[in-house]
Amino acid sequence: MQATKKFWSGIAIGVLGIVLFSSKAVMVKLAYKYQVDAISILLLRMLFSFPFYVVIAIVYRNKVEGAILRHKDYAWVVFFGFVGLLFSKLF
């Protein structure tokens, strides 16, 4: 029973991700209609996604499954986040 619930929750989250990712292009096209520059659109996109990451961090902060994260690990996560951001602007 628990496995089926997790399965369908995963499917629902996946479908929600697909819908939100697809709607991003529509929102950008609507914003360009009002002559908004690309930097402002990127800023709004980051601001709108930030609360989701905060909620995910709060939900999963106390769940320990054998992985112990050190400050060095968090530094690597931030580093790769910035690298991903830079590459996303290039491509």
Side-chain angles (χ1 to χ4, degrees):
M1 181 74 177
Q2 187 68 15
T4 356
K5 184 177 178 183
K6 283 186 177 183
F7 175 77
W8 287 111
S9 297
I11 296 291
I13 290 172
V15 169
L16 180 66
I18 290 168
V19 169
L20 291 175
F21 184 78
S22 300
S23 66
K24 178 179 67 170
V26 174
M27 296 299 172
V28 168
K29 288 178 183 177
L30 288 173
Y32 281 137
K33 179 180 176 183
Y34 296 103
Q35 287 112 17
V36 179
D37 61 320
I39 299 297
S40 298
I41 292 172
L42 185 63
L43 174 70
L44 286 173
R45 192 174 123 198
M46 288 181 190
L47 287 175
F48 285 133
S49 65
F50 182 70
F52 291 100
Y53 289 110
V54 170
V55 168
I56 291 169
I58 289 171
V59 168
Y60 287 105
R61 71 176 172 209
N62 293 327
K63 297 191 180 203
V64 177
E65 296 180 10
I68 298 171
L69 296 176
R70 294 178 225 108
H71 292 292
K72 181 180 173 183
D73 298 325
Y74 287 111
W76 278 111
V77 168
V78 170
F79 170 74
F80 284 120
F82 281 117
V83 169
L85 176 66
L86 290 175
F87 280 133
S88 71
K89 290 180 183 179
L90 293 176
F91 298 109

